[in-house]
Amino acid sequence: MTQAFASQSDLLEKTVSFTEIGEGLYAFTAQGDPNSGVIIGDDSVMIVEAQATPRLARKVIDCVRSVTDKPTTHLALTHYHAVRVLGASAYDAQQIIMSDNARAMVAERGQEDWDSEFQRFPRLFEGHESIPGLTWPTTTFRDRMTVYLGNRRVNLMHLGRAHTAGDIVVHVPDQNVMFTGDIVEYRSACYCGDGHFADWGGTLDAIEGFDLDAIAPGRGDALIGQDMVNAAIKSTRDFVDSTYRPAAQVAARGGSLKDAWLAVRAECDPKFADYAIYEHCLPFNVSRAYDEARGIDTPRIWTAQRDLDMWAALQG
């Protein structure tokens, strides 16, 4: 039987969890779907990651309302991907924050990413008619920015390239908790189609250097306690390295993209085949790893047509 492309056959609704990971800090997770974070300050709330649509965002809002009636004033977006940002309008936040690089990527490839992801993951885009358009930040920064929610300090930082060139993390120092976006995953495949393999490990090193007490990862369960945090960082590092290394070896000997696909599967299937969205991510990951190994630093823009052409080449 022909395998469905990406997550087109993933039509089952996921069970939501809403986990306290520090005082006034929560992780919204849903069995491998994109996570969101909640930071409750003295008088207001910051949401980290908007979800793919206003319909999904309202699930986050319902969870927030179960613990506080404070208004949401800030929305922090760790990167530009459609499944993370297109639900932003539901929050009516006064400030929408991205890195400078993430905003530039919205301008360069935001619509193409939306079109591509809509095709890849139709379940996440149910209710897409309510999306008003691309999500643009009201506020951007280069390396670091601090927001005060009353007395609660929230540090937003670009620690390096990883999942995209514009990734940020959100750190709450009074609880030593971090919202990492897709730089760190837990028992979920990393999507590397817009990634920077050579830099990802250094960015993980920077995160590890905080000796965090908890992480809300991009996908997967909330990580509470240093043992769980360190295990997730280690497994993320292994996933990224295990994807890039065989693809780079194939590229170095002049092999084809299909050769790289087979080599990465041989390395990664035994370790990661049971991870969430593994099959979804694999073709995009191999394609990007193969490109980076051949000296293409800036990831090529994914379009709906490029997705299908790549998939046909790998299946042929």
Side-chain angles (χ1 to χ4, degrees):
M1 184 174 67
T2 303
Q3 182 180 345
F5 171 67
S7 292
Q8 289 180 347
S9 63
D10 181 0
L11 303 177
L12 295 177
E13 197 81 5
K14 306 301 183 184
T15 300
V16 166
S17 297
F18 192 59
T19 306
E20 188 168 21
I21 57 176
E23 185 178 348
L25 306 175
Y26 295 85
F28 173 99
T29 66
Q31 295 183 299
D33 276 0
N35 293 342
S36 289
V38 178
I39 303 171
I40 301 175
D42 293 332
D43 302 307
S44 64
V45 175
M46 175 185 286
I47 302 293
V48 183
E49 314 288 40
Q51 297 286 315
T53 65
R55 170 184 171 271
L56 287 173
R58 281 189 283 274
K59 293 187 176 185
V60 179
I61 293 168
D62 288 345
C63 288
V64 173
R65 289 292 159 255
S66 74
V67 294
T68 184
D69 59 1
K70 296 173 184 177
T72 296
T73 54
H74 295 76
L75 175 61
L77 303 173
T78 66
H79 58 287
Y80 79 99
H81 283 153
V83 294
R84 298 291 178 180
V85 307
L86 292 180
S89 63
Y91 300 95
D92 197 27
Q94 297 165 17
Q95 286 197 55
I96 301 174
I97 306 169
M98 289 182 180
S99 70
D100 291 341
N101 284 341
R103 188 194 187 282
M105 296 177 87
V106 174
E108 177 192 41
R109 59 183 71 196
Q111 186 62 54
E112 290 85 353
D113 181 72
W114 181 354
D115 295 341
S116 171
E117 296 224 43
F118 183 86
Q119 173 180 257
R120 297 179 193 182
F121 223 140
R123 175 175 56 79
L124 290 183
F125 287 93
E126 291 176 4
H128 64 90
E129 300 85 358
S130 62
I131 301 171
L134 292 173
T135 296
W136 296 94
T138 62
T139 306
T140 65
F141 65 96
R142 181 177 178 181
D143 296 317
R144 289 176 178 262
M145 175 182 175
T146 297
V147 172
Y148 285 93
L149 302 175
N151 289 318
R152 170 159 263 179
R153 177 175 180 144
V154 181
N155 295 323
L156 299 91
M157 297 168 282
H158 172 65
L159 299 177
R161 303 191 302 183
H163 174 69
T164 73
D167 295 334
I168 65 170
V169 300
V170 181
H171 183 234
V172 183
D174 66 72
Q175 296 290 296
N176 198 26
V177 169
M178 186 176 285
F179 302 82
T180 65
D182 287 316
I183 301 172
V184 177
E185 311 286 24
Y186 182 68
R187 296 201 61 79
S188 176
C190 301
Y191 174 74
C192 310
D194 298 301
H196 295 270
F197 288 92
D199 295 353
W200 204 316
T203 304
L204 288 173
D205 289 343
I207 291 171
E208 195 169 26
F210 283 83
D211 292 323
L212 296 160
D213 292 314
I215 280 178
R219 292 176 185 264
D221 294 344
L223 309 171
I224 301 172
Q226 291 191 351
D227 288 347
M228 198 171 182
V229 165
N230 292 334
I233 292 172
K234 181 179 179 180
S235 66
T236 299
R237 191 188 305 275
D238 187 30
F239 186 96
V240 172
D241 291 347
S242 297
T243 301
Y244 184 68
R245 185 172 52 250
Q249 291 169 350
V250 168
R253 65 173 185 263
S256 67
L257 177 62
K258 182 67 175 288
D259 295 333
W261 163 258
L262 295 173
V264 173
R265 291 211 77 119
E267 176 80 13
C268 289
D269 283 7
K271 293 189 283 187
F272 307 117
D274 63 340
Y275 276 26
I277 67 166
Y278 175 72
E279 293 292 345
H280 173 117
C281 292
L282 194 64
F284 305 100
N285 294 358
V286 173
S287 181
R288 174 57 193 151
Y290 184 70
D291 277 357
E292 184 171 322
R294 294 181 301 138
I296 300 174
D297 182 68
T298 300
R300 292 186 288 144
I301 296 174
W302 290 101
T303 66
Q305 188 58 52
R306 184 188 167 205
D307 285 1
L308 296 179
D309 291 344
M310 177 270 295
W311 182 242
L314 291 177
Q315 297 304 299

